[in-house]
Amino acid sequence: MKNRLKELRKAKKLSQKEFAKAFNDFMKNNIGCAVLDNNFKIKNIRQTTISRWESGKTPIPNKYYPALVHFFDVPLAYIQGASYSKKEIENIILNEVNLRLANRFINGEIEKNQLSIVLYDFLQIDKSNLKAYLNLCGKTVIEKQEIPVLSDELAKLLKRIYSFLFEDEAILSWDKKRVEDKVELDNFLFTIAKLNLDEANLSRLTLVGKWFEYGKFLEDYDSKGLDEVERALKHAKILNKNMEFNLHNSMLDDLKYSNDSTKILSSLKSYQYFIEYLISEVKSKMSILDAESKKENRNQQ
């Protein structure tokens, strides 16, 4: 495994001689990560030492790695050649985004990969991004049913749309084997993409949307104390925080599979009460919003 010392030195536009001086000065100014001899003096390096390290004739002593990590500001694994560079990891992520996004367009609901779904959903938040993507590769993914080639133009667009995927630098410390593990890479990218999708969606919620999304309607509903509703809910065994989801699915299941007419009617009645409650509450919320809007308009006049 060849180290990347030569690559890092050249990136800083330093000759071996210039690097030796700069690195020695760095250890002098950062004594906490400097290498000391038996007399507690800094063990400076020479140009010949760097030449041997870069060629692999002499392995870099472990005691110099802390200073090298801080000098170049890169992970240890990267200096050792065990991980990809930031640019290489960006390219790997862009290739994965291109593959997953195109799969979602081609396969639609059949594509069950979590990353594919969340990337697809995020793309559709901003219709201008969706239009730009389809203008670049729409015929390929929709008409030809092919994964588009990741051109420079497409890579630039995807990197702009999904810029948040490149802000988390935790992945820079991964070794090559871990980065190449598609399952782990997908899970990592999905976590970041899902978080940003949720934040984007929450910022778009209306007054009623926030009331519903944050579960406030459940608190209001529980406080109503409607005996008939409570009895129906207990009968259906769905008194929990997933009330809306469970009420709906329980009703459909009873309609489709139950032979007990009493149970079916109870489920329908529970759902009916819940929908009627939601309608009344939404009307109330909207009337408050309208009143606040009118008041604000009067104040502005």
Side-chain angles (χ1 to χ4, degrees), residues 100 103-118 120 186-187 190:
R100 294 303 181 193
N103 271 338
R104 184 64 179 171
F105 271 95
I106 292 170
N107 298 313
E109 296 301 320
I110 300 172
E111 175 60 64
K112 299 299 183 184
N113 180 272
Q114 285 186 313
L115 179 59
S116 298
I117 296 169
V118 76
Y120 178 83
D186 271 15
N187 288 338
F190 166 75

Side-chain angles (χ1 to χ4, degrees), residues 61-77:
N62 289 335
K63 57 189 176 183
Y64 280 100
Y65 275 122
L68 289 169
V69 164
H70 285 86
F71 181 85
F72 289 113
D73 192 24
V74 294
L76 172 61

Side-chain angles (χ1 to χ4, degrees), residues 13-58:
K13 299 180 179 179
L14 297 171
S15 66
Q16 289 182 342
K17 185 176 181 180
E18 290 169 336
F19 170 54
K21 183 180 184 310
F23 186 66
N24 290 335
D25 288 344
F26 177 81
M27 288 198 294
K28 181 179 178 181
N29 295 322
N30 296 271
I31 197 68
C33 58
V35 176
L36 307 177
D37 61 19
N38 292 333
N39 295 317
F40 300 101
K41 291 183 178 179
I42 296 173
K43 291 187 70 173
N44 289 328
I45 58 173
R46 299 191 296 270
Q47 179 184 349
T48 53
T49 304
I50 295 168
S51 178
R52 290 197 302 272
W53 285 358
E54 289 183 353
S55 65
K57 290 180 180 178
T58 304

Side-chain angles (χ1 to χ4, degrees), residues 124-125 199-206 210:
Q124 297 188 94
I125 289 176
E199 288 178 352
N201 283 333
L202 287 175
S203 67
R204 297 161 66 221
L205 288 173
T206 62
K210 289 176 182 176

Side-chain angles (χ1 to χ4, degrees), residues 112-269:
K112 299 299 183 184
N113 180 272
Q114 285 186 313
L115 179 59
S116 298
I117 296 169
V118 76
L119 290 174
Y120 178 83
D121 290 345
F122 191 90
L123 180 63
Q124 297 188 94
I125 289 176
D126 188 335
K127 298 303 178 186
S128 64
N129 286 336
L130 177 61
K131 184 177 180 181
Y133 176 81
L134 292 175
N135 284 342
L136 269 180
C137 54
K139 289 184 179 179
T140 301
V141 298
I142 293 175
E143 294 179 14
K144 296 182 180 179
Q145 299 286 290
E146 294 176 358
I147 305 296
V149 175
L150 187 66
S151 63
D152 290 342
E153 194 176 1
L154 179 56
K156 186 177 179 180
L157 174 66
L158 292 177
K159 189 173 180 181
R160 178 178 63 78
I161 296 171
Y162 303 102
S163 58
F164 51 83
L165 293 176
F166 306 94
E167 292 170 2
D168 192 320
E169 297 198 348
I171 197 172
L172 296 179
S173 62
W174 287 16
D175 60 29
K176 290 183 178 180
K177 186 177 180 182
R178 191 176 178 192
V179 173
E180 291 165 0
D181 185 330
K182 286 293 186 74
V183 174
E184 185 157 10
L185 181 63
D186 271 15
N187 288 338
F188 179 81
L189 297 178
F190 166 75
T191 301
I192 300 173
K194 182 68 166 62
L195 179 64
N196 280 269
L197 177 65
D198 289 346
E199 288 178 352
N201 283 333
L202 287 175
S203 67
R204 297 161 66 221
L205 288 173
T206 62
L207 174 71
V208 174
K210 289 176 182 176
W211 169 74
F212 196 84
E213 181 70 21
Y214 292 116
K216 297 296 183 184
F217 71 94
L218 293 177
E219 295 173 13
D220 295 341
Y221 186 61
D222 289 341
S223 68
K224 295 296 179 182
L226 300 174
D227 293 338
E228 194 169 1
V229 175
E230 289 295 323
R231 284 198 298 273
L233 290 174
K234 286 178 181 178
H235 181 77
K237 296 181 179 178
I238 48 176
L239 273 172
N240 57 53
K241 281 296 178 183
N242 294 316
M243 187 183 292
E244 188 270 340
F245 176 82
N246 287 330
L247 270 170
H248 182 259
N249 286 316
S250 175
M251 176 200 67
L252 291 178
D253 284 345
D254 286 344
L255 277 172
K256 289 188 290 185
Y257 307 118
S258 178
N259 291 319
D260 186 342
S261 59
T262 303
K263 185 177 181 182
I264 294 171
L265 290 172
S266 176
S267 288
L268 286 169
K269 204 164 191 178

Side-chain angles (χ1 to χ4, degrees), residues 88-104:
E88 288 170 330
I89 288 176
E90 284 182 355
N91 288 335
I92 290 170
I93 290 174
L94 284 171
N95 274 291
E96 195 68 7
V97 170
N98 183 44
L99 171 65
R100 294 303 181 193
L101 196 60
N103 271 338
R104 184 64 179 171

